[in-house]
């Protein structure tokens, strides 16, 4: 019974991964991803609108990026073609972890 319940989310994951492999990201998608990464990794300082409360998080992200040897300048060289090549190399549905998709019985529903 559990196998049948898991079939739908597993099929959805397979379809999403297949789409990532088959369809190259657009230049706009790639640019948006680079902007998001710059922000999340601390390479883009917080805006004035964010206020001072954002500074500790930004400082932490910046230090962690340096500690992990993440090169902010390299993000500028990411192209849609390079991103697609990386996706094709890593998004094999057979290698996907599915543990988070396994349905569980909710408390009190038995």
């Amino acid at each position: 019974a559990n196998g049948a319940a898991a079939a739908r989310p597993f099929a959805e994951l397979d379809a999403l991964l297949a789409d990532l492999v088959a369809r190259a990201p657009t230049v706009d998608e790639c640019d948006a991803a680079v902007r998001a990464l710059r922000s999340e990794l601390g390479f883009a300082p917080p805006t004035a609108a964010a206020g001072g409360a954002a500074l500790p998080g930004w400082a932490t992200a910046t230090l962690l990026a340096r500690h992990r040897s993440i090169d902010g300048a390299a993000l500028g060289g990411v192209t849609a073609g390079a991103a697609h090549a990386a996706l094709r190399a890593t998004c094999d549905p057979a290698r996907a972890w599915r543990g988070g998709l396994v349905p569980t019985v909710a408390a009190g529903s038995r």
Side-chain angles (χ1 to χ4, degrees), residues 37-78:
L37 278 172
R38 282 189 190 284
S39 178
E40 290 174 17
L41 296 174
F43 295 117
T47 63
L55 289 176
W58 173 73
T60 301
T62 301
L63 291 171
L64 286 174
R66 289 182 187 151
H67 174 72
R68 295 175 178 147
S69 300
I70 297 172
D71 183 2
L75 289 174
V78 174

Side-chain angles (χ1 to χ4, degrees), residues 6-100:
R8 184 173 176 191
F10 287 3
E12 185 175 345
L13 174 63
D14 289 345
L16 290 170
L17 291 174
D19 182 59
L20 287 172
V21 170
R23 186 184 58 83
T26 66
V27 172
D28 288 342
E29 288 172 324
C30 201
D31 289 346
V34 167
R35 279 193 308 277
L37 278 172
R38 282 189 190 284
S39 178
E40 290 174 17
L41 296 174
F43 295 117
T47 63
L55 289 176
W58 173 73
T60 301
T62 301
L63 291 171
L64 286 174
R66 289 182 187 151
H67 174 72
R68 295 175 178 147
S69 300
I70 297 172
D71 183 2
L75 289 174
V78 174
T79 64
H84 192 219
L87 289 168
R88 284 193 316 264
T90 58
C91 290
D92 178 3
R95 296 174 43 199
W97 180 73
R98 299 163 191 283

